[in-house]
Amino acid sequence: MHPTPSAYLIRRENDEFRAVFPLDEKERYTLGRIATNRIVVKDELCSREHAEIYFADGHWHVRDNNSLNGTQVNDVRLTEERRLFPGDEIRIGRTSLLFVKDLSSLPELQEQLPKGDLSIKERVDKTRFLIDLETPEDATATPPTIRKRLGRNLAILYRAALEMGSAPTFEKLGERVLSCLLDAIPADAGAILLVRDGKPPQTVAYKQRDERLPALVRISQSVSNEVLSSKEAILAEDVSSDEHLRNRDSLTELRAASLICAPVIFEDRIEGLIHLYSTDRRRHFDREDLEFALAVARQLGVAIHQIKKRDSLTAENRQLRSQLKVESELIGNSPAMKNIEEQIRRVAGTSATVLIRGESGTGKELVARAIHYTSPRRDGPFVCLNCAALPETLLESELFGHEKGAFTGATERKIGKFEAANNGTIFLDEIGEMNPATQAKLLRILEGHPYERVGGQMPIHVDVRVVAATNQPLEQAIQEGHFRRDLFFRLQVVEIRIPPLRERIEDIPLLADHFLKRYVQETGRKFQKLTPAALQKLKTYHWPGNVRELRNVIERAVALGTGPDIDAKDILLSSLDLDAKDAGTGGYEPIDLAEVEKRHIMKTLEYTNWNKSQAAAILKIERSTLDRKIKAYNLQKG
């Protein structure tokens, strides 16, 4: 059930009635050019997020969001937020939005039927049900019975707009449109046809009043063809007297006495057709019926376009999520990985805050993604922020956003990560690097309190699940006074520890094969597998950089390897591990740095079987530099 609106925005362009937007006091409405706005305004003079309308202190307000061309209310440009009164006209670019609290106060809009290619056989100048029934001159010109009918049709049209906007499929959309049409027009049967991919129109919905009529009849192909070819809306008041229509088999089967067929058009492209039939020869369609059908057809064209756009975005989003899921998979069959997967399954269905611990490169972000995409929030956003990547002065702004002028360089309003993650999950990596002031603000959000943007006063409520990660001992940071004790306990509702790669050696073959397939696909190289020697070399390495280092080693092997398979010679490991092994094999030897460098270069050359390119890559020096050092130290292959 839709919430009862307390006000409405009536959109019109060039004095044409376009749409009615009901306003709910619990919602905040952004207006702008991009599709993420609550009210989208397709106008090149409109900014991406142009303005916003919200309810506060018992009244509706409007304010400009630092748009390029500004927002006007009653032809006065806004310089600050302004309270709205019924009858106020908000202008954004070329678009006018009328603010009213009651649709019965809707002023007269000079609605004109589209001209050009779209025409009707009986021309009408304006749509009668859009006339303000309270205007004195209209009241005297329109008989009371007609005024009552127009008022009823206006209510039905408003209901139709709501029903169309919430329709999940073309079939449901057609059913809801037909229900509204049969409430307003004395038709005995109706059908909605859609034109898809250049194919003949296909019926997606059919409705009848009398169950004695056939459950589904053949829609008049001749009428459809005429409307498709001419873009004319047809009103035939007496089919039996029309020599072009009375002998059509489908019309005879339906026993149609009169019909309406209106094209459903969006941006001069026919999206479908509306067919309405009356079988009562004493009751014919009239001009008011035609006008109402045309108005519904116009709105239906927009609704069809929106469903097509939504389906396209959904398909694209599904594809991107599928790709992202591959990136977020946790690879491994070790007991440690199975334990982590079990913890993820248990915690994903809750709203508990999660603290992930582990060394750098173990895959903390992958665990956070797995929690998000197996949780009820998986259709919401997943937003990441590395707290160590930003200076203290910018971290708070990045998290919570800021208003224009909040500090030097704040030239426009910025939405923070928490707002961007609303109804989703935010992943805060390196949480131990967060400064105390930002920690206090984060704690309030975790406790369910609203917050303000930097330099702002408007309270912002968000529904966000927080997953944090660290590779530092937070307990030590608490003792040293760098991290809040209360925040630590609020973050550590559920703690997941990820073991380093050296503690789950049995997962290395699976991980290496996974990365090999990924980079073979990306680069187009023809490597089949890793040889047993290559796998053995990987298993005996210490992996100070964990899974991230393993991924980089395989990527480098794919890029530089020459054989049909990845062999041990293609596996280039970091010299950090070599130094670590050397440091632990003997006692102190009093030698100078030149001798240390000479020995290390010699060991690296022997390790790579004197492959100078590989040795230079391990030593992270240029090949020419390595040649000079070999000559200077008089190093020779044994």
Side-chain angles (χ1 to χ4, degrees):
M1 179 177 292
H2 298 283
T4 303
S6 66
Y8 304 85
L9 284 182
I10 313 296
R11 181 164 65 94
R12 59 181 180 182
E13 297 173 8
N14 301 323
D15 290 331
E16 280 196 1
F17 177 82
R18 293 296 186 187
V20 177
F21 301 101
L23 303 179
D24 181 7
E25 294 177 358
K26 297 180 181 180
E27 302 291 339
R28 178 180 293 264
Y29 297 85
T30 57
L31 298 83
R33 197 176 66 248
I34 59 176
T36 54
N37 290 285
R38 295 294 299 273
I39 299 177
V40 179
V41 181
K42 294 297 184 182
D43 187 333
E44 65 272 14
L45 297 182
C46 180
S47 297
R48 293 168 59 84
E49 291 186 357
H50 197 104
E52 60 183 348
I53 293 176
Y54 55 92
F55 190 83
D57 301 326
H59 303 287
W60 284 96
H61 301 263
V62 61
R63 74 172 181 178
D64 183 76
N65 285 345
N66 305 314
S67 64
L68 181 62
N69 295 312
T71 302
Q72 296 182 353
V73 177
N74 301 331
D75 296 326
V76 178
R77 182 162 180 157
L78 291 180
T79 57
E80 57 184 1
E81 66 179 43
R82 181 191 186 281
R83 176 182 169 185
L84 288 172
F85 296 90
D88 281 346
E89 181 182 32
I90 305 169
R91 181 165 292 277
I92 299 175
R94 299 189 183 93
T95 303
S96 175
L97 294 158
L98 191 68
F99 177 80
V100 296
K101 289 192 173 181
D102 189 345
L103 286 179
S104 64
S105 65
L106 185 67
E108 179 179 0
L109 301 175
Q110 297 301 320
E111 171 71 54
Q112 300 291 332
L113 290 175
K115 296 183 173 53
D117 290 339
L118 182 63
S119 61
I120 57 174
K121 292 190 173 180
E122 181 181 352
R123 174 68 65 182
V124 291
D125 295 328
K126 55 187 176 183
T127 304
R128 292 189 179 185
F129 57 81
L130 296 181
I131 297 176
D132 182 5
L133 302 181
E134 301 302 322
T135 305
E137 55 267 30
D138 293 328
T140 58
T142 308
T145 55
I146 299 298
R147 294 177 60 223
K148 181 178 179 181
R149 179 179 176 184
L150 293 175
R152 183 200 63 177
N153 285 353
L154 178 60
I156 294 175
L157 181 61
Y158 170 65
R159 176 167 63 88
L162 292 178
E163 295 286 349
M164 291 185 206
S166 61
T169 64
F170 291 119
E171 290 73 16
K172 289 293 184 182
L173 176 64
E175 292 173 5
R176 296 175 183 183
V177 169
L178 285 177
S179 294
C180 293
L181 283 168
L182 295 186
D183 284 346
I185 296 176
D188 294 300
I192 304 295
L193 287 72
L194 290 188
V195 178
R196 301 182 186 178
D197 303 325
K199 298 178 181 179
Q202 298 293 319
T203 302
V204 295
Y206 177 84
K207 189 175 180 63
Q208 59 197 28
R209 294 185 192 273
D210 192 344
E211 294 299 330
R212 292 172 297 180
L213 289 173
L216 182 63
V217 299
R218 289 192 298 115
I219 302 302
S220 175
Q221 188 65 44
S222 59
V223 172
S224 295
N225 289 340
E226 183 172 353
V227 174
L228 288 171
S229 61
S230 64
K231 295 187 178 179
E232 292 179 345
I234 294 175
L235 166 59
E237 295 184 351
D238 191 348
V239 174
S240 62
S241 64
D242 190 326
E243 62 181 15
H244 297 291
L245 299 175
R246 63 186 177 188
N247 294 324
R248 301 298 182 184
D249 291 341
S250 58
L251 298 178
T252 302
E253 181 182 345
L254 188 59
R255 304 189 301 276
S258 57
L259 65 86
I260 287 176
C261 182
V264 179
I265 296 179
F266 181 80
E267 293 183 349
D268 201 40
R269 182 180 64 253
I270 293 185
E271 298 283 358
L273 299 169
I274 292 177
H275 281 257
L276 298 171
Y277 301 100
S278 173
T279 61
D280 191 341
R281 299 184 182 278
R282 297 167 299 177
R283 184 180 63 217
H284 298 289
F285 297 136
D286 56 23
R287 187 171 66 180
E288 282 75 20
D289 298 326
L290 177 62
E291 293 172 9
F292 186 83
L294 286 171
V296 172
R298 178 183 296 173
Q299 187 69 25
L300 178 56
V302 176
I304 290 173
H305 172 73
Q306 292 298 328
I307 289 183
K308 285 184 176 180
K309 183 178 179 181
R310 184 191 64 204
D311 289 348
S312 176
L313 292 174
T314 300
E316 181 181 358
N317 189 40
R318 189 180 297 113
Q319 181 182 6
L320 292 174
R321 287 187 185 278
S322 177
Q323 296 174 359
L324 185 59
K325 184 178 179 181
V326 173
E327 296 294 324
S328 302
E329 286 181 342
L330 296 172
I331 308 297
N333 289 326
S334 64
M337 286 306 301
K338 290 181 179 179
N339 180 52
I340 290 174
E341 291 172 358
E342 179 62 26
Q343 288 179 284
I344 291 172
R345 280 194 291 270
R346 290 180 178 180
V347 75
T350 72
S351 297
T353 305
V354 180
L355 179 63
I356 305 172
R357 293 198 178 197
E359 294 180 5
S360 179
T362 52
K364 296 186 288 296
E365 182 177 338
L366 297 184
V367 172
R369 288 184 184 275
I371 292 172
H372 173 74
Y373 287 114
T374 54
S375 75
R377 297 173 178 266
R378 56 183 170 272
D379 292 327
F382 179 79
V383 178
C384 300
L385 180 67
N386 189 324
C387 299
L390 295 170
E392 293 185 3
T393 53
L394 293 181
L395 180 59
E396 184 175 357
S397 169
E398 191 71 20
L399 278 172
F400 310 116
H402 63 251
E403 297 289 349
K404 180 180 179 181
F407 50 84
T408 303
T411 57
E412 59 182 14
R413 194 185 74 173
K414 177 182 175 61
I415 299 297
K417 297 296 186 183
F418 268 95
E419 279 184 84
N422 192 30
N423 297 318
T425 303
I426 187 169
F427 174 59
L428 302 177
D429 199 6
E430 305 294 348
I431 190 71
E433 302 298 327
M434 184 178 290
N435 63 73
T438 307
Q439 291 178 32
K441 203 165 185 178
L442 173 61
L443 180 62
R444 283 189 55 80
I445 295 177
L446 292 175
E447 296 293 345
H449 298 289
Y451 68 94
E452 298 85 31
R453 300 188 188 103
V454 177
Q457 298 179 349
M458 182 66 64
I460 299 172
H461 296 263
V462 291
D463 178 16
V464 176
R465 180 182 196 164
V466 175
V467 178
T470 182
N471 60 3
Q472 302 295 330
L474 293 182
E475 294 83 357
Q476 181 179 344
I478 293 173
Q479 294 176 358
E480 295 173 354
H482 301 314
F483 200 82
R484 294 178 63 109
R485 182 184 299 271
D486 48 3
L487 178 59
F488 171 76
F489 290 122
R490 190 63 185 82
L491 290 172
Q492 200 190 24
V493 176
V494 176
E495 181 176 295
I496 298 178
R497 291 182 177 269
I498 307 177
L501 186 57
R502 59 184 174 274
E503 294 181 10
R504 51 187 185 102
I505 298 298
E506 58 266 51
D507 289 335
I508 288 179
L510 290 174
L511 287 164
D513 184 65
H514 173 76
F515 293 132
L516 176 64
K517 291 178 180 177
R518 177 199 294 182
Y519 293 119
V520 163
Q521 182 178 7
E522 288 183 5
T523 61
R525 306 296 297 275
K526 302 299 183 181
F527 296 108
Q528 299 295 322
K529 64 182 186 303
L530 288 97
T531 65
L535 289 174
Q536 182 61 29
K537 189 173 182 179
L538 294 176
K539 289 181 179 180
T540 57
Y541 182 60
H542 187 63
W543 297 112
N546 292 294
V547 180
R548 182 185 295 120
E549 184 183 6
L550 174 60
R551 181 191 64 195
N552 295 339
V553 166
I554 300 300
E555 182 179 13
R556 183 165 56 238
V558 172
L560 301 178
T562 56
D565 298 322
I566 299 296
D567 202 358
K569 63 182 178 59
D570 302 313
I571 304 297
L572 307 180
L573 301 175
S574 171
S575 59
L576 291 174
D577 191 58
L578 297 174
D579 292 341
K581 290 180 179 178
D582 289 343
T585 57
Y588 172 74
E589 185 178 358
I591 57 176
D592 59 27
L593 290 176
E595 182 64 23
V596 172
E597 183 181 55
K598 175 182 176 180
R599 292 182 183 182
H600 183 63
I601 292 176
M602 188 63 187
K603 288 183 179 180
T604 304
L605 288 168
E606 291 174 349
Y607 177 79
T608 61
N609 197 24
W610 278 78
N611 185 319
K612 295 181 181 179
S613 296
Q614 293 184 7
I618 293 175
L619 296 170
K620 290 183 172 54
I621 60 177
E622 296 293 334
R623 168 67 183 270
S624 58
T625 303
L626 177 60
D627 287 333
R628 288 196 302 272
K629 290 183 178 294
I630 291 174
K631 185 176 181 181
Y633 291 134
N634 192 27
L635 300 177
Q636 296 180 358
K637 185 175 182 180

